[in-house]
CSV table of all heavy atoms in Angstrom, one decimal:
chain,number,residue,atom,x,y,z
Q,64,ILE,N,-16.8,5.9,0.4
Q,64,ILE,CA,-16.1,7.1,1.0
Q,64,ILE,C,-14.7,6.7,1.3
Q,64,ILE,O,-14.5,5.8,2.2
Q,64,ILE,CB,-16.8,7.6,2.3
Q,64,ILE,CG1,-18.3,7.9,2.0
Q,64,ILE,CG2,-16.1,8.8,2.8
Q,64,ILE,CD1,-19.1,8.2,3.3
Q,65,GLY,N,-13.7,7.2,0.6
Q,65,GLY,CA,-12.3,6.9,0.9
Q,65,GLY,C,-11.7,6.2,-0.3
Q,65,GLY,O,-12.1,5.1,-0.7
Q,66,GLY,N,-10.5,6.8,-0.8
Q,66,GLY,CA,-9.8,6.2,-1.9
Q,66,GLY,C,-8.4,5.7,-1.4
Q,66,GLY,O,-7.4,6.0,-2.0
Q,67,GLY,N,-8.4,4.9,-0.3
Q,67,GLY,CA,-7.3,4.1,0.1
Q,67,GLY,C,-7.4,2.7,-0.5
Q,67,GLY,O,-8.2,2.5,-1.4
Q,68,ILE,N,-6.6,1.8,0.0
Q,68,ILE,CA,-6.7,0.5,-0.6
Q,68,ILE,C,-8.0,-0.2,-0.4
Q,68,ILE,O,-8.5,-0.9,-1.3
Q,68,ILE,CB,-5.5,-0.4,-0.1
Q,68,ILE,CG1,-5.4,-1.7,-1.0
Q,68,ILE,CG2,-5.6,-0.8,1.3
Q,68,ILE,CD1,-5.2,-1.5,-2.4
Q,69,ASN,N,-8.6,0.0,0.7
Q,69,ASN,CA,-9.9,-0.6,1.0
Q,69,ASN,C,-11.0,-0.1,0.2
Q,69,ASN,O,-11.8,-0.8,-0.4
Q,69,ASN,CB,-10.2,-0.6,2.5
Q,69,ASN,CG,-9.3,-1.6,3.2
Q,69,ASN,OD1,-8.9,-2.6,2.7
Q,69,ASN,ND2,-8.9,-1.2,4.4
Q,87,ALA,N,-15.6,8.5,-3.7
Q,87,ALA,CA,-15.1,9.9,-3.4
Q,87,ALA,C,-13.9,9.8,-2.5
Q,87,ALA,O,-14.0,9.2,-1.4
Q,87,ALA,CB,-16.2,10.7,-2.8
Q,88,GLU,N,-12.8,10.5,-2.9
Q,88,GLU,CA,-11.6,10.5,-2.1
Q,88,GLU,C,-11.3,12.0,-1.9
Q,88,GLU,O,-11.2,12.8,-2.8
Q,88,GLU,CB,-10.5,9.9,-2.8
Q,88,GLU,CG,-9.1,10.2,-2.3
Q,88,GLU,CD,-8.9,10.1,-0.8
Q,88,GLU,OE1,-9.2,9.0,-0.2
Q,88,GLU,OE2,-8.4,11.1,-0.2
Q,89,MET,N,-11.2,12.4,-0.6
Q,89,MET,CA,-11.1,13.9,-0.4
Q,89,MET,C,-9.8,14.5,-0.8
Q,89,MET,O,-9.7,15.7,-1.1
Q,89,MET,CB,-11.4,14.2,1.1
Q,89,MET,CG,-10.4,13.7,2.1
Q,89,MET,SD,-10.9,14.2,3.7
Q,89,MET,CE,-9.7,13.3,4.7
Q,90,ASN,N,-8.7,13.7,-0.9
Q,90,ASN,CA,-7.4,14.2,-1.4
Q,90,ASN,C,-7.0,13.4,-2.6
Q,90,ASN,O,-7.8,13.2,-3.5
Q,90,ASN,CB,-6.4,14.1,-0.3
Q,90,ASN,CG,-6.7,15.0,0.9
Q,90,ASN,OD1,-7.1,16.2,0.7
Q,90,ASN,ND2,-6.7,14.5,2.1
Q,95,GLY,N,-3.7,8.8,2.3
Q,95,GLY,CA,-3.8,8.5,3.8
Q,95,GLY,C,-2.8,7.3,4.1
Q,95,GLY,O,-1.7,7.3,3.7
Q,96,THR,N,-3.3,6.3,4.8
Q,96,THR,CA,-2.4,5.3,5.3
Q,96,THR,C,-1.9,4.4,4.2
Q,96,THR,O,-0.8,3.9,4.4
Q,96,THR,CB,-3.3,4.4,6.3
Q,96,THR,OG1,-3.9,5.2,7.2
Q,96,THR,CG2,-2.4,3.4,7.0
Q,97,SER,N,-2.6,4.3,3.1
Q,97,SER,CA,-2.2,3.3,2.1
Q,97,SER,C,-0.9,3.6,1.3
Q,97,SER,O,-0.5,2.8,0.5
Q,97,SER,CB,-3.4,3.1,1.1
Q,97,SER,OG,-4.4,2.5,1.8
Q,99,GLY,N,1.6,4.7,3.4
Q,99,GLY,CA,2.6,4.9,4.5
Q,99,GLY,C,2.9,3.5,5.2
Q,99,GLY,O,3.3,3.5,6.3
Q,100,SER,N,2.7,2.4,4.4
Q,100,SER,CA,2.9,1.1,5.0
Q,100,SER,C,4.4,0.6,4.9
Q,100,SER,O,5.1,1.3,4.2
Q,100,SER,CB,2.0,0.1,4.4
Q,100,SER,OG,2.5,-0.4,3.2
Q,101,THR,N,4.7,-0.5,5.4
Q,101,THR,CA,6.0,-1.1,5.2
Q,101,THR,C,6.1,-1.8,3.8
Q,101,THR,O,7.1,-2.2,3.4
Q,101,THR,CB,6.3,-2.1,6.3
Q,101,THR,OG1,6.0,-1.5,7.6
Q,101,THR,CG2,7.7,-2.6,6.4
Q,102,LYS,N,5.0,-1.8,3.2
Q,102,LYS,CA,4.9,-2.3,1.8
Q,102,LYS,C,5.2,-3.8,1.6
Q,102,LYS,O,5.8,-4.3,0.7
Q,102,LYS,CB,5.8,-1.5,0.9
Q,102,LYS,CG,5.6,0.0,1.1
Q,102,LYS,CD,6.4,0.9,0.3
Q,102,LYS,CE,6.5,2.3,0.8
Q,102,LYS,NZ,5.2,3.0,1.1
Q,103,LEU,N,4.7,-4.6,2.6
Q,103,LEU,CA,4.8,-6.0,2.5
Q,103,LEU,C,3.5,-6.7,2.3
Q,103,LEU,O,2.5,-6.3,2.9
Q,103,LEU,CB,5.4,-6.5,3.8
Q,103,LEU,CG,6.7,-6.0,4.3
Q,103,LEU,CD1,7.2,-6.6,5.6
Q,103,LEU,CD2,7.8,-6.2,3.2
Q,105,HIS,N,2.3,-9.8,3.3
Q,105,HIS,CA,2.9,-10.8,4.2
Q,105,HIS,C,1.9,-11.4,5.1
Q,105,HIS,O,0.8,-10.8,5.3
Q,105,HIS,CB,4.0,-10.1,5.0
Q,105,HIS,CG,3.6,-9.0,5.9
Q,105,HIS,ND1,4.2,-8.7,7.1
Q,105,HIS,CD2,2.4,-8.3,5.9
Q,105,HIS,CE1,3.6,-7.7,7.7
Q,105,HIS,NE2,2.5,-7.4,7.0
Q,228,THR,N,-12.5,15.0,-3.7
Q,228,THR,CA,-13.9,15.2,-3.5
Q,228,THR,C,-14.3,14.7,-2.1
Q,228,THR,O,-14.2,13.5,-1.9
Q,228,THR,CB,-14.7,14.5,-4.5
Q,228,THR,OG1,-14.4,15.0,-5.8
Q,228,THR,CG2,-16.3,14.7,-4.3
Q,229,ALA,N,-14.6,15.6,-1.2
Q,229,ALA,CA,-14.9,15.2,0.2
Q,229,ALA,C,-16.4,14.8,0.3
Q,229,ALA,O,-17.2,15.6,-0.3
Q,229,ALA,CB,-14.5,16.2,1.2
Q,230,VAL,N,-16.8,13.8,1.0
Q,230,VAL,CA,-18.1,13.6,1.4
Q,230,VAL,C,-18.4,14.4,2.7
Q,230,VAL,O,-17.7,14.1,3.7
Q,230,VAL,CB,-18.4,12.1,1.6
Q,230,VAL,CG1,-19.9,11.9,2.1
Q,230,VAL,CG2,-18.2,11.3,0.3
Q,263,ALA,N,-15.1,3.7,4.0
Q,263,ALA,CA,-13.8,3.1,4.0
Q,263,ALA,C,-12.8,4.2,4.2
Q,263,ALA,O,-11.8,4.3,3.5
Q,263,ALA,CB,-13.6,2.4,2.6
Q,264,ALA,N,-13.1,5.0,5.2
Q,264,ALA,CA,-12.3,6.2,5.4
Q,264,ALA,C,-11.0,6.0,6.3
Q,264,ALA,O,-10.4,6.9,6.8
Q,264,ALA,CB,-13.1,7.3,6.0
Q,265,GLY,N,-10.7,4.7,6.5
Q,265,GLY,CA,-9.4,4.3,7.2
Q,265,GLY,C,-9.4,5.0,8.6
Q,265,GLY,O,-10.3,4.9,9.4
Q,266,PRO,N,-8.3,5.7,8.8
Q,266,PRO,CA,-8.2,6.4,10.2
Q,266,PRO,C,-9.3,7.5,10.4
Q,266,PRO,O,-9.4,7.9,11.5
Q,266,PRO,CB,-6.8,6.9,10.2
Q,266,PRO,CG,-6.3,7.0,8.8
Q,266,PRO,CD,-7.1,5.9,8.0
Q,267,TRP,N,-10.0,7.8,9.4
Q,267,TRP,CA,-11.0,8.8,9.5
Q,267,TRP,C,-12.4,8.1,9.7
Q,267,TRP,O,-13.4,8.8,9.7
Q,267,TRP,CB,-11.1,9.8,8.3
Q,267,TRP,CG,-10.0,10.7,8.1
Q,267,TRP,CD1,-9.9,12.0,8.6
Q,267,TRP,CD2,-8.8,10.5,7.5
Q,267,TRP,NE1,-8.7,12.6,8.3
Q,267,TRP,CE2,-8.0,11.7,7.6
Q,267,TRP,CE3,-8.2,9.4,6.8
Q,267,TRP,CZ2,-6.7,11.8,7.0
Q,267,TRP,CZ3,-6.9,9.5,6.2
Q,267,TRP,CH2,-6.2,10.7,6.3
Q,271,VAL,N,-16.0,10.1,10.0
Q,271,VAL,CA,-17.0,10.0,9.0
Q,271,VAL,C,-18.3,9.6,9.6
Q,271,VAL,O,-19.4,10.1,9.3
Q,271,VAL,CB,-16.6,9.1,7.8
Q,271,VAL,CG1,-17.8,8.7,6.9
Q,271,VAL,CG2,-15.6,9.8,6.9
Q,289,GLY,N,2.7,4.7,12.8
Q,289,GLY,CA,3.9,4.0,12.5
Q,289,GLY,C,4.7,4.8,11.5
Q,289,GLY,O,4.2,5.4,10.6
Q,291,HIS,N,8.6,5.3,9.2
Q,291,HIS,CA,9.7,4.7,8.6
Q,291,HIS,C,10.8,5.7,8.3
Q,291,HIS,O,10.5,6.9,8.1
Q,291,HIS,CB,9.3,4.1,7.2
Q,291,HIS,CG,8.4,2.9,7.4
Q,291,HIS,ND1,7.0,3.1,7.6
Q,291,HIS,CD2,8.6,1.6,7.3
Q,291,HIS,CE1,6.5,1.9,7.7
Q,291,HIS,NE2,7.4,1.0,7.6
Q,328,THR,N,9.1,-0.6,11.4
Q,328,THR,CA,8.3,0.6,11.8
Q,328,THR,C,8.2,0.7,13.3
Q,328,THR,O,8.7,-0.1,14.0
Q,328,THR,CB,7.0,0.6,11.0
Q,328,THR,OG1,6.2,1.7,11.4
Q,328,THR,CG2,6.2,-0.7,11.4
Q,373,GLY,N,2.4,6.9,8.9
Q,373,GLY,CA,1.0,6.6,8.6
Q,373,GLY,C,0.3,6.2,9.9
Q,373,GLY,O,0.9,6.0,10.9
Q,374,VAL,N,-1.0,6.2,9.8
Q,374,VAL,CA,-1.8,5.9,11.0
Q,374,VAL,C,-2.6,4.7,10.7
Q,374,VAL,O,-3.5,4.7,9.8
Q,374,VAL,CB,-2.8,7.1,11.4
Q,374,VAL,CG1,-3.6,6.7,12.5
Q,374,VAL,CG2,-2.0,8.4,11.6
Q,375,ARG,N,-2.4,3.6,11.5
Q,375,ARG,CA,-3.2,2.4,11.3
Q,375,ARG,C,-4.5,2.5,11.9
Q,375,ARG,O,-4.7,2.9,13.1
Q,375,ARG,CB,-2.5,1.2,12.0
Q,375,ARG,CG,-1.0,1.0,11.6
Q,375,ARG,CD,-0.5,-0.2,12.5
Q,375,ARG,NE,0.9,-0.4,12.2
Q,375,ARG,CZ,2.0,0.2,12.8
Q,375,ARG,NH1,1.8,1.2,13.6
Q,375,ARG,NH2,3.2,-0.1,12.4
Q,411,GLY,N,-7.8,-3.8,8.9
Q,411,GLY,CA,-7.4,-4.4,7.6
Q,411,GLY,C,-6.0,-4.1,7.3
Q,411,GLY,O,-5.4,-3.2,7.9
Q,412,LYS,N,-5.4,-4.9,6.3
Q,412,LYS,CA,-4.1,-4.8,5.9
Q,412,LYS,C,-4.1,-4.5,4.4
Q,412,LYS,O,-5.0,-4.9,3.7
Q,412,LYS,CB,-3.3,-6.1,6.1
Q,412,LYS,CG,-3.4,-6.6,7.5
Q,412,LYS,CD,-2.2,-6.1,8.4
Q,412,LYS,CE,-0.9,-6.4,7.8
Q,412,LYS,NZ,0.1,-5.5,8.4
Q,413,ILE,N,-3.0,-4.0,3.9
Q,413,ILE,CA,-2.9,-3.9,2.4
Q,413,ILE,C,-3.0,-5.4,1.9
Q,413,ILE,O,-3.8,-5.6,0.9
Q,413,ILE,CB,-1.5,-3.4,2.0
Q,413,ILE,CG1,-1.2,-2.0,2.5
Q,413,ILE,CG2,-1.3,-3.5,0.5
Q,413,ILE,CD1,-1.6,-0.9,1.7
Q,414,THR,N,-2.3,-6.3,2.5
Q,414,THR,CA,-2.3,-7.7,2.1
Q,414,THR,C,-3.7,-8.3,1.9
Q,414,THR,O,-3.9,-9.1,1.0
Q,414,THR,CB,-1.5,-8.5,3.1
Q,414,THR,OG1,-0.2,-7.9,3.3
Q,414,THR,CG2,-1.3,-10.0,2.7
O,53,FAD,P1,-6.6,4.9,4.0
O,53,FAD,O1,-5.5,4.5,3.1
O,53,FAD,O2,-6.2,5.9,5.0
O,53,FAD,O3,-7.7,5.5,3.1
O,53,FAD,C1,-8.8,6.2,3.6
O,53,FAD,C2,-9.1,7.4,2.7
O,53,FAD,O4,-10.3,8.0,3.1
O,53,FAD,C3,-8.0,8.5,2.8
O,53,FAD,O5,-7.3,8.6,1.6
O,53,FAD,C4,-8.8,9.7,3.2
O,53,FAD,O6,-8.3,10.9,2.5
O,53,FAD,C5,-10.2,9.3,2.7
O,53,FAD,N1,-11.3,10.1,3.4
O,53,FAD,C6,-11.4,10.2,4.8
O,53,FAD,N2,-12.6,11.0,5.0
O,53,FAD,C7,-13.1,11.2,3.8
O,53,FAD,C8,-14.3,11.9,3.4
O,53,FAD,N3,-15.1,12.5,4.3
O,53,FAD,N4,-14.6,12.0,2.1
O,53,FAD,C9,-13.8,11.5,1.2
O,53,FAD,N5,-12.6,10.8,1.5
O,53,FAD,C10,-12.3,10.7,2.8
O,53,FAD,N6,-0.4,-3.6,5.7
O,53,FAD,C11,0.2,-4.6,5.0
O,53,FAD,O7,-0.5,-5.4,4.4
O,53,FAD,N7,1.5,-4.7,4.9
O,53,FAD,C12,2.4,-3.8,5.5
O,53,FAD,O8,3.6,-4.0,5.4
O,53,FAD,C13,1.8,-2.8,6.3
O,53,FAD,N8,2.6,-1.9,7.0
O,53,FAD,C14,2.0,-0.9,7.6
O,53,FAD,C15,2.9,0.0,8.3
O,53,FAD,C16,2.4,1.1,8.9
O,53,FAD,C17,3.3,2.1,9.6
O,53,FAD,C18,1.0,1.4,8.8
O,53,FAD,C19,0.4,2.7,9.3
O,53,FAD,C20,0.1,0.5,8.2
O,53,FAD,C21,0.7,-0.7,7.6
O,53,FAD,N9,-0.2,-1.6,7.0
O,53,FAD,C22,0.4,-2.7,6.3
O,53,FAD,C23,-1.6,-1.5,7.1
O,53,FAD,C24,-2.2,-0.8,5.9
O,53,FAD,O9,-1.4,0.2,5.4
O,53,FAD,C25,-3.6,-0.2,6.2
O,53,FAD,O10,-4.4,-1.1,6.8
O,53,FAD,C26,-4.3,0.3,4.9
O,53,FAD,O11,-3.5,1.1,4.2
O,53,FAD,C27,-5.6,1.0,5.3
O,53,FAD,O12,-6.2,1.4,4.1
O,53,FAD,P2,-7.6,2.2,4.2
O,53,FAD,O13,-8.1,2.2,2.8
O,53,FAD,O14,-8.5,1.6,5.2
O,53,FAD,O15,-7.2,3.6,4.7
Side-chain angles (χ1 to χ4, degrees):
I64 307 172
I68 192 57
N69 289 327
E88 160 54 50
M89 65 182 174
N90 294 313
T96 310
S97 296
S100 82
T101 310
K102 311 182 196 307
L103 302 180
H105 63 158
T228 303
V230 176
W267 290 267
V271 164
H291 292 80
T328 179
V374 179
R375 301 176 183 87
K412 305 271 306 162
I413 301 270
T414 307

